[in-house]
């Protein structure tokens, strides 16, 4: 005799969906209680009543599911919308940024590993995007915080060789392979280094921990925006071993319209 399967409940952000058959979808979520989970939603493509448009990326949902074991596909019994983030979806730039947040979270989260702080990070930054205007600071500070929570925080507070703390006015070099900066005295010529100002380094360090309500007050100058983008996106592709597709889409669209 087999034991009845337990019904598990959680809340989760939709990461992505994959068409499985004519009527079924495979959906990944970043959930509050179980980290990333992947499940099959039977009849999701047919039954509008059972799953009424809940599976759009970055929607926050209540999920009830069953599964035989942690590494097996879950069976999604029901899924209801908590927040569809209507205000974000009304704005193309914000939609692309939210999609990038979701994509990054997906890439940095192994399945089944719970990290409540990553769930809260998504929740905070989607709320920030809802209330405030989109900015480079919002995107870069999300990247810094996610890297930290996922255990890949770049070492930016001092030179990785001589350990001298970052000093205003000095110039530094970022080494994606080592995940940190060197001062100009310690910098040996390497092919993949990127020059970076003390101002950029300090801005990223500040953005990593600052009160989320203060992020709206930060405007990055063009050079700060360019340098911090170059460092972080280069480092992220290095860690993941691939480009993040939604980043490219987001930037192409921003270049067209802004
Ligand atoms: Zn040094």
């Amino acid at each position: 005799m087999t034991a009845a399967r337990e019904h598990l409940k959680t809340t989760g952000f939709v990461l992505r969906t994959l068409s499985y058959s004519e009527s079924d979808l495979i959906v990944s979520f970043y959930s509050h209680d179980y980290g990333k989970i992947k499940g099959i939603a039977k009849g999701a493509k047919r039954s509008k009543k059972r799953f009424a448009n809940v599976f759009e990326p970055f929607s926050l949902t209540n999920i009830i599911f069953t599964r035989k074991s942690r590494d097996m596909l879950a069976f999604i019994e029901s899924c209801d919308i908590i927040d569809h983030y209507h205000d974000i979806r009304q704005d193309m730039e914000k939609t692309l940024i939210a999609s990038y947040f979701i994509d990054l979270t997906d890439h940095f989260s192994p399945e089944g590993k719970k990290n409540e702080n990553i769930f809260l990070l998504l929740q905070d930054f989607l709320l920030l995007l809802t209330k405030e205007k989109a900015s480079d600071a919002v995107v870069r500070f999300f990247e810094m915080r996610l890297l930290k929570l996922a255990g890949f925080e770049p070492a930016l507070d001092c030179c990785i060789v001589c350990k001298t703390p970052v000093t205003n006015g000095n110039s530094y070099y970022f080494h994606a392979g080592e995940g940190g900066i060197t001062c100009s005295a310690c910098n040996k010529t390497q092919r993949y280094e990127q020059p970076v100002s003390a101002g950029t380094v300090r801005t990223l360090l500040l953005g990593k921990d600052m009160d989320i309500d203060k992020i709206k007050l930060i405007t990055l100058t063009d050079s700060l925006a360019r340098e911090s983008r170059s460092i972080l996106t280069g480092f992220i592709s290095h860690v993941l071993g691939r480009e993040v597709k939604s980043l490219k889409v987001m930037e192409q669209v921003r270049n067209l319209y802004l």
Side-chain angles (χ1 to χ4, degrees), residues 19-257:
S19 181
Y20 183 67
S21 66
E22 255 176 51
S23 57
D24 306 339
L25 281 179
I26 291 183
V27 191
S28 321
F29 299 91
Y30 196 87
S31 72
H32 180 266
D33 303 280
Y34 303 93
K36 184 156 87 179
I37 47 179
K38 204 187 262 185
I40 187 156
K42 282 271 184 196
K45 285 156 85 179
R46 270 204 303 249
S47 169
K48 293 274 180 274
K49 218 185 342 182
R50 187 149 167 245
F51 297 113
N53 300 322
V54 290
F55 298 131
E56 287 186 54
F58 67 84
S59 284
L60 179 61
T61 60
N62 270 322
I63 312 154
I64 299 176
F65 67 101
T66 56
R67 62 181 174 189
K68 277 187 179 160
S69 68
R70 268 164 180 263
D71 47 1
M72 282 184 76
L73 205 59
F75 182 83
I76 299 165
E77 300 271 351
S78 76
C79 190
D80 305 301
I81 284 272
I82 300 171
D83 198 337
H84 188 251
Y85 295 101
H86 182 73
D87 291 345
I88 294 180
R89 289 181 212 274
Q90 293 292 91
D91 179 314
M92 184 167 58
E93 193 192 5
K94 289 184 177 184
T95 303
L96 292 167
I97 294 175
S99 305
Y100 174 57
F101 290 170
I102 283 294
D103 214 8
L104 265 194
T105 304
D106 191 15
H107 282 307
F108 275 99
S109 309
E111 233 165 276
K113 192 171 175 226
K114 179 184 170 176
N115 187 332
E116 194 184 336
N117 288 327
I118 291 182
F119 179 91
L120 297 175
L121 179 76
L122 271 177
Q123 200 170 36
D124 285 348
F125 272 72
L126 290 175
L127 185 63
L128 184 67
L129 271 185
T130 300
K131 291 193 304 192
E132 310 296 341
K133 59 181 202 304
S135 71
D136 289 295
V138 171
V139 178
R140 301 287 88 89
F141 295 175
F142 178 87
E143 291 169 333
M144 278 299 283
R145 289 169 192 227
L146 181 67
L147 283 167
K148 182 180 176 184
L149 293 174
F152 293 100
E153 182 180 355
L156 299 177
D157 48 351
C158 63
C159 167
I160 52 175
V161 179
C162 69
K163 310 291 178 201
T164 309
V166 169
T167 316
N168 282 345
N170 286 1
S171 49
Y172 294 88
Y173 296 86
F174 184 73
H175 303 262
E178 268 114 291
I181 51 166
T182 54
C183 66
S184 43
C186 294
N187 186 60
K188 296 187 197 102
T189 311
Q190 287 187 23
R191 276 174 62 204
Y192 298 109
E193 72 205 13
Q194 291 178 49
V196 45
S197 67
T200 297
V201 171
R202 283 191 182 281
T203 306
L204 292 178
L205 286 171
L206 183 76
K208 181 184 64 163
D209 299 313
M210 80 188 303
D211 185 348
I212 189 140
D213 292 330
K214 300 220 169 95
I215 294 178
K216 63 178 180 233
L217 306 173
I218 306 279
T219 306
L220 302 184
T221 61
D222 285 350
S223 73
L224 283 184
R226 206 174 40 246
E227 277 190 0
S228 50
R229 179 213 170 274
S230 164
I231 291 181
L232 287 179
T233 60
F235 181 55
I236 287 167
S237 333
H238 176 83
V239 172
L240 296 174
R242 66 200 278 185
E243 301 260 313
V244 181
K245 258 194 227 156
S246 54
L247 173 75
K248 276 206 169 152
V249 179
M250 177 179 78
E251 295 195 327
Q252 280 164 359
V253 174
R254 288 184 90 187
N255 289 338
L256 279 180
Y257 291 93

